[in-house]
Amino acid sequence: MSDFLQRVEHSVVSRQLLRRGQKVLVAVSGGADSMVLLHALHRLAREQKWKLAVAHFNHQLRGRSSDADERLVRATARRLKLPCVVERGEVKRFAGERKLSIEMAARRLRHDFLARAARQHRIHIVALAHHADDQVELFFLRLLRGAGAKGLAGMKWRGPLPSDAGVTLIRPLLDQAKSALLDFAREGNIRFREDASNASRDIPRNRIRHELLPLLRRDFQPALPDIILRQMEVLGAESDFLDGVAQAWLSDGSRAVFDDLHPALQRRVLQLQLTGMEVRFDFDLIEQLRTSVEHPVMVSPALRVRRDRAGQLRVENMETVRFATTAATVALKPTKGEIRFDGVRLCWQAETKPSARRPAAQPGCEWFDADKVGLEVVLRHWRAGDRFQPIGMASASKLQDLFTDLKIPRSRRRELIVAATSGGEVWWVEGLRIAERFKLDANTRRRLQWAWQRVEGTVCGTLRRSGTRSAEASSAR
């Protein structure tokens, strides 16, 4: 038996990942890592009496290459005389429907498939091919995203399948370097397929693999992978301990006062509760809840969370925001004009030879660079995802975040009128400062006066309309 197989067998047995004679479903993509895992477990199964089955999910993301991966996995399973379950998924369509990234959509569909395949073969263990290099890359990915100890601890040797807690995931290669896997593949003439996307520098994980890690090993610490893996082991153990203490506190009816707990324990208590509620969290959300009592914190447009004095979190479902669909396209070709749009009267006037003196500020009136605004604008209401850069700010922010910072009531937000360029860039929001990019400057050649007032009545005229309701306008030369 090769040294590599002996190390894998030792990890499986010493960490009790598999019992003798147990069934295991091996997730195989067709790449080097999973093909090595399959062959290693198949070789060890003769002695350990393991019963293997193969599962392959075709993401259909790489056309013929994805189909070639599937054919290789099927052929390998036949040659090894192992049952094989294959399924295909439309990842791109699923990502669009659920508004997920391609990576997240693929992961969710793959996990759902593994749960079904495991149930089909009455198997409770699924083996994945993550290895030591994956762990190190994950450490830096999460470090750069600001993860805490729990995230930096990385992947566990065993844990529940996210889509089915009755199925356990195991990672028998987690302490093996990628180079060791490739050596085993070469020595055993194991066929595998390379995914061309692994070389793309557009993917953060690949930049860490090909640029950051070689730099750190070369200029700072040649033994970097070993040190990082050891650090992850320590962080994992400490995180598990903190989880246990936090869970014990939550379960103890006569527990100590929340405010008397160490901040690290307070944070973990809140994290456990949010995880149980399936609420995504970050450091800022945890700190808001930790440092304030009975103060509702928005976590989504339809959900907010508050903490009571006892440290218990309460989730409050709110009415889902219904965004108004009314919109109107307005031509600003005349030098003067006005429009009534959903109860707001808007007037404009363009000056082709603006005075060098800046206009005096007045309520309900702003001045913009007319050439930047363009000859056609769109009037509408706030929509999910809208971004706006108020004058004086270095970058654009979500309008929802600006509304929250300004304490604008949710009901009021839906009424506010937004003006965007024909290309979709928001340059005016009713009641907010003007947009940075559209302000007057030394290069301004045409100046646009834009005034508004909430009124009743009708202003006649014509304009192009879209949406479920109409708007009326008039123009004068």
Side-chain angles (χ1 to χ4, degrees):
M1 184 185 296
S2 69
D3 290 342
F4 177 79
L5 286 176
Q6 288 179 356
R7 293 197 302 271
V8 173
E9 184 178 40
H10 175 75
S11 295
V12 172
V13 174
S14 63
R15 296 179 182 273
Q16 300 180 338
L17 303 182
L18 283 171
R19 298 189 307 273
R20 186 176 178 83
Q22 195 165 13
K23 293 182 179 180
V24 56
L25 184 68
V26 187
V28 184
S29 68
D33 304 343
S34 61
M35 294 298 281
V36 165
L37 173 65
L38 174 61
H39 282 80
L41 292 181
H42 184 257
R43 291 270 299 277
L44 294 172
R46 300 169 187 172
E47 172 64 26
Q48 297 292 337
K49 306 300 181 184
W50 296 327
K51 300 175 179 62
L52 274 56
V54 176
H56 174 78
F57 186 72
N58 186 337
H59 299 87
Q60 301 187 92
L61 291 173
R62 296 168 24 250
R64 293 180 178 178
S65 293
S66 293
D67 294 340
D69 295 344
E70 178 183 327
R71 287 195 297 272
L72 174 62
V73 174
R74 286 183 182 275
T76 303
R78 282 196 301 271
R79 183 167 56 80
L80 298 178
K81 299 180 180 179
L82 298 175
C84 182
V85 186
V86 175
E87 192 172 299
R88 296 185 169 202
E90 297 183 19
V91 174
K92 288 184 178 179
R93 189 180 72 176
F94 183 78
E97 292 173 349
R98 303 298 177 91
K99 294 181 170 55
L100 299 171
S101 67
I102 292 294
E103 182 181 6
M104 288 300 298
R107 183 173 182 269
R108 186 175 298 181
L109 288 177
R110 186 168 61 250
H111 283 170
D112 290 346
F113 158 67
L114 290 174
R116 289 191 298 273
R119 288 193 297 269
Q120 177 183 338
H121 286 269
R122 298 181 181 179
I123 298 175
H124 302 291
I125 302 289
V126 175
L128 303 179
H130 296 116
H131 49 75
D133 290 40
D134 291 328
Q135 280 283 63
V136 175
E137 292 163 11
L138 182 62
F139 176 89
F140 282 99
L141 269 176
R142 291 181 173 176
L143 178 68
L144 296 173
R145 291 172 183 166
K150 195 177 185 71
L152 294 178
M155 296 174 284
K156 294 182 178 296
W157 285 87
R158 63 182 299 136
L161 179 66
S163 58
D164 188 342
V167 177
T168 298
L169 297 179
I170 63 170
R171 299 178 173 90
L173 306 180
L174 207 51
D175 58 351
Q176 301 300 316
K178 174 77 171 189
S179 58
L181 273 65
L182 293 176
D183 289 342
F184 181 76
R186 183 173 56 255
E187 293 166 3
N189 293 318
I190 296 172
R191 290 182 59 204
F192 61 86
R193 289 181 50 79
E194 285 286 357
D195 185 344
S197 65
N198 289 336
S200 172
R201 302 300 171 95
D202 295 332
I203 301 174
R205 179 184 284 272
N206 290 349
R207 291 202 299 275
I208 288 174
R209 178 185 306 154
H210 298 299
E211 297 175 14
L212 179 60
L213 293 180
L215 171 68
L216 293 176
R217 283 196 297 265
R218 183 184 68 243
D219 295 346
F220 295 92
Q221 177 53 265
L224 181 72
D226 292 336
I227 290 174
I228 295 299
L229 291 172
R230 187 163 61 243
Q231 184 66 27
M232 295 176 82
E233 190 83 24
V234 172
L235 289 172
E238 293 177 353
S239 182
D240 289 345
F241 173 77
L242 195 56
D243 272 348
V245 176
Q247 192 60 61
W249 185 87
L250 286 168
S251 302
D252 184 3
S254 60
R255 53 180 172 261
V257 178
F258 181 84
D259 289 343
D260 292 340
L261 300 179
H262 190 282
L265 184 53
Q266 290 178 340
R267 293 184 182 112
R268 190 55 57 92
V269 165
L270 297 175
Q271 288 175 15
L272 289 180
Q273 293 183 77
L274 290 171
T275 299
M277 297 172 178
E278 297 186 346
V279 173
R280 296 185 64 179
F281 58 85
D282 56 18
F283 179 80
D284 290 336
L285 174 59
I286 294 294
E287 289 304 281
Q288 283 182 281
L289 293 170
R290 189 178 72 83
T291 57
S292 60
V293 181
E294 298 296 353
H295 177 72
V297 179
M298 297 296 299
V299 296
S300 75
L303 198 70
R304 64 184 183 184
V305 181
R306 70 171 72 230
R307 175 180 70 82
D308 63 21
R309 293 190 178 278
Q312 292 290 328
L313 296 184
R314 300 287 183 266
V315 174
E316 300 173 0
N317 289 305
M318 304 176 66
E319 179 186 1
T320 301
V321 175
R322 293 180 175 86
F323 295 96
T325 58
T326 312
T329 302
V330 184
L332 301 183
K333 292 179 181 179
T335 57
K336 297 174 64 176
E338 63 181 34
I339 176 176
R340 181 183 182 278
F341 181 80
D342 274 9
V344 177
R345 178 174 177 264
L346 300 116
C347 303
W348 69 86
Q349 180 172 339
E351 298 179 3
T352 55
K353 296 181 180 180
S355 168
R357 180 182 301 175
R358 298 188 73 82
Q362 51 184 304
C365 180
E366 293 287 3
W367 294 82
F368 298 89
D369 188 311
D371 292 322
K372 294 177 181 176
V373 170
L375 296 177
E376 189 174 87
V377 301
V378 177
L379 297 176
R380 57 176 177 81
H381 294 275
W382 164 51
R383 295 174 183 169
D386 274 343
R387 300 184 72 84
F388 184 66
Q389 183 182 1
I391 189 169
M393 290 186 64
S395 60
S397 300
K398 285 186 178 180
L399 261 180
Q400 178 178 320
D401 295 337
L402 292 174
F403 289 153
T404 301
D405 293 341
L406 294 171
K407 295 181 171 56
I408 297 175
R410 291 170 57 82
S411 57
R412 171 63 176 150
R413 300 175 193 179
R414 308 180 201 183
E415 300 174 356
L416 297 180
I417 306 299
V418 169
T421 66
S422 58
E425 185 176 1
V426 176
W427 55 271
W428 172 77
V429 180
E430 182 186 357
L432 270 65
R433 288 176 288 169
I434 70 173
E436 171 70 24
R437 198 177 77 78
F438 298 87
K439 67 183 180 182
L440 302 178
D441 57 31
N443 297 317
T444 298
R445 295 293 175 264
R446 291 195 315 123
R447 201 162 64 183
L448 177 68
Q449 183 184 28
W450 184 262
W452 66 95
Q453 182 183 14
R454 285 201 166 265
V455 294
E456 295 299 330
T458 302
V459 180
C460 301
T462 60
L463 77 161
R464 287 186 290 160
R465 295 190 294 270
S466 64
T468 58
R469 299 168 58 187
S470 66
E472 298 172 289
S474 71
S475 60
R477 292 186 184 278

